[in-house]
Amino acid sequence: MELNQWVDELFEIFDEDKDGVINRSEFVELIDCLLQEKGIRMCETIFNRFDKNHDNSISKDELREMVIDLAL
């Protein structure tokens, strides 16, 4: 699966309220899924690192950067 397609699917799944961003609680679920047991402990640090504009949400572009940095 191509990276952009994977990010699109992840975003669709974890943007539960369909507002176009991943909020903090949705992010916790995403990290838990991607990193499993390590995820919860790292969640706050990772969220702050990838929320580049500090709007307390993760955009699709920010998620793409996160996936590239963490998963590839």
Side-chain angles (χ1 to χ4, degrees), residues 15-54:
D15 179 18
E16 293 175 353
D17 58 8
K18 305 303 180 212
D19 64 351
V21 294
I22 294 176
N23 64 36
R24 198 168 289 270
S25 63
E26 293 165 341
F27 184 77
V28 169
E29 292 181 37
L30 172 64
I31 293 301
D32 187 41
C33 176
L34 290 177
L35 301 178
Q36 297 172 10
E37 59 208 42
K38 295 186 297 185
I40 298 301
R41 293 187 306 270
M42 296 171 51
C43 199
E44 189 70 26
T45 300
I46 294 169
F47 188 94
N48 291 333
R49 176 178 170 197
F50 289 100
D51 180 17
K52 298 290 186 185
N53 61 359
H54 308 291

Side-chain angles (χ1 to χ4, degrees), residues 6-7 10 22 27 30-31 34-35 46-47 49-50 52 58-72:
W6 190 49
V7 169
L10 281 173
I22 294 176
F27 184 77
L30 172 64
I31 293 301
L34 290 177
L35 301 178
I46 294 169
F47 188 94
R49 176 178 170 197
F50 289 100
K52 298 290 186 185
I58 301 293
S59 68
K60 192 179 290 188
D61 288 336
E62 290 167 333
L63 177 61
R64 183 174 289 107
E65 183 178 329
M66 182 184 73
V67 169
I68 289 169
D69 281 4
L70 296 177
L72 298 178

